[in-house]
Amino acid sequence: EFRRVRFRSVGYTRVDKNDAYNAGVGHGFLSGGLHHRNRRVGNNLQRDFVFASGTMSFGVDVPDASYDVTVIMGDGRYTHEQIQLSIEDDVQVVVSQSGPADFFTNTFAVSSSGGQMVFDWLDLGGPAPVVLINSIEIVQSGSPENLTFTIDQAAISENGGASAATVTRSGSTVR
């Protein structure tokens, strides 16, 4: 959640214009002459945003995996057009607000490798050369666990008879 005020939404990490990438923290802005605004319009994830003129980049350290990435982009007072969002060098969307307080919200399926997921914004034209972000939510997707069981030398009988088997497990637990 990209904020400049003291309150924050439960479960979200506050990020502001001064948060340059820091490996110890695991996230931050990689580029952009950054500013922030609180329009006091919308919910806690919509009213604040970080913005830049023309371009900006943000990185988050994540394990190599597939993710569901939800973004919120918009301004409660002004309309912004032609903001291109790329995640991991893939163009995901070009956002144009239909009017003030028209907040774009969408979830994208993203595969990340190299230990860091990178977000890039680029202004493609319009009256104000501004790019912005209100909120990013990153959730690992996919099946929770893949396991393989092998049963060797099984002797299984019914009606109260004895059963014996050797079970070998391979796979890993994802938390």
Side-chain angles (χ1 to χ4, degrees):
E1 128 185 65
F2 294 83
R3 324 278 312 175
R4 72 178 272 200
V5 295
R6 293 194 181 270
F7 65 89
R8 67 179 188 184
S9 298
V10 174
Y12 287 80
T13 300
R14 179 186 165 279
V15 176
D16 72 23
K17 68 175 187 155
N18 298 315
D19 291 332
Y21 176 77
N22 177 323
V25 175
H27 66 265
F29 286 98
L30 303 169
S31 68
L34 305 172
H35 309 277
H36 52 219
R37 293 285 184 269
N38 179 352
R39 298 291 194 206
R40 299 183 188 351
V41 175
N43 65 36
N44 286 350
L45 297 179
Q46 296 170 333
R47 68 180 56 140
D48 298 306
F49 57 92
V50 171
F51 69 99
S53 179
T55 65
M56 70 179 171
S57 296
F58 186 80
V60 180
D61 294 347
V62 295
D64 294 356
S66 296
Y67 295 89
D68 294 324
V69 178
T70 302
V71 298
I72 299 175
M73 297 168 57
D75 186 336
R77 286 207 186 136
Y78 298 98
T79 301
H80 299 281
E81 300 174 346
Q82 302 296 308
I83 301 172
Q84 177 179 290
L85 169 63
S86 298
I87 306 173
E88 293 292 88
D89 292 324
D90 290 327
V91 174
Q92 301 293 327
V93 68
V94 175
V95 175
S96 290
Q97 290 180 269
S98 61
D102 174 27
F103 295 98
F104 172 83
T105 303
N106 197 40
T107 300
F108 304 99
V110 177
S111 292
S112 183
S113 62
Q116 186 177 74
M117 186 179 296
V118 176
F119 297 79
D120 293 299
W121 291 266
L122 174 64
D123 178 69
L124 299 177
V130 172
V131 296
L132 59 85
I133 183 63
N134 305 69
S135 174
I136 299 173
E137 180 180 53
I138 302 170
V139 178
Q140 191 168 353
S141 59
S143 61
E145 190 171 318
N146 295 320
L147 300 176
T148 303
F149 290 94
T150 305
I151 301 175
D152 292 321
Q153 301 174 345
I156 301 173
S157 63
E158 294 183 25
N159 297 325
S163 62
T166 300
V167 177
T168 305
R169 173 185 169 193
S170 63
S172 62
T173 301
V174 178
R175 293 186 193 271

